Amino acid sequence: MSTFPAEQPKPSPDAPPPADYQVPHAQRSLQHLERSHPSPEDVTLALCKARTVSPDDLLPSEAIYDRDGKDLWSFEGPVPAHSSRHRWCWFSDMTPGAALVFKTYDSAPDVARCVPHVAFDNPDANHHAVPRASIEQRAIAYWF
């Protein structure tokens, strides 16, 4: 299993190392909302307010992407252990024009390192809830 979906370019041996880097994440709904007042999605995206998360709250976790039961690639990312200090917000009715942009990692030591996020089964969704369909994109930004 590869840690990345494609071969990564090799940096030039003369290139300076980056001073800092950040991994921004964008998530957009692909729902086609046919009703003027749709029911909440069945699996809702939630974000945790970064300032409520201590570095000690974060546990290493491996995210594995698979297809047809075969692992294709993976990466390690932090997940927060439960804390009553955490403040979560969720987005159950995202429209096709809406997108969330947040950072999943920042190497700078003096800022919030990440915004924990998770999808959960929405207990407020009725049994006819629109299934969640979304697309996400991650990138890496380097500062030299």
Side-chain angles (χ1 to χ4, degrees):
M1 178 173 53
S2 165
T3 56
F4 291 97
E7 185 65 29
Q8 300 298 306
K10 305 279 188 240
S12 165
D14 300 326
D20 288 308
Y21 69 97
Q22 188 180 89
V23 180
H25 179 119
Q27 182 120 11
R28 183 172 183 219
S29 175
L30 296 177
Q31 306 297 91
H32 178 67
L33 303 177
E34 297 177 6
R35 300 178 209 105
S36 61
H37 299 288
S39 58
E41 296 173 346
D42 59 345
V43 179
T44 299
L45 180 64
L47 304 178
C48 187
K49 186 175 181 179
R51 290 188 178 105
T52 69
V53 179
S54 161
D56 294 336
D57 294 342
L58 299 175
L59 306 173
S61 174
E62 187 173 19
I64 300 173
Y65 288 78
D66 68 281
R67 182 175 293 136
D68 300 325
K70 181 181 177 195
D71 295 346
L72 299 176
W73 65 285
S74 68
F75 64 92
E76 186 177 283
V79 294
H82 173 75
S83 171
S84 60
R85 293 183 323 275
H86 296 167
R87 295 295 173 253
W88 291 86
C89 57
W90 60 92
F91 304 87
S92 60
D93 290 318
M94 288 182 67
T95 62
L100 291 172
V101 179
F102 54 95
K103 68 180 175 183
T104 56
Y105 183 78
D106 195 325
S107 67
D110 57 342
V111 299
R113 300 297 286 245
C114 69
V115 175
H117 63 288
V118 67
F120 67 94
D121 291 331
N122 185 348
D124 294 332
N126 65 42
H127 64 281
H128 296 295
V130 177
R132 179 172 159 238
S134 60
I135 188 167
E136 62 184 81
Q137 180 179 13
R138 295 177 187 188
I140 299 177
Y142 293 101
W143 284 267
F144 291 91

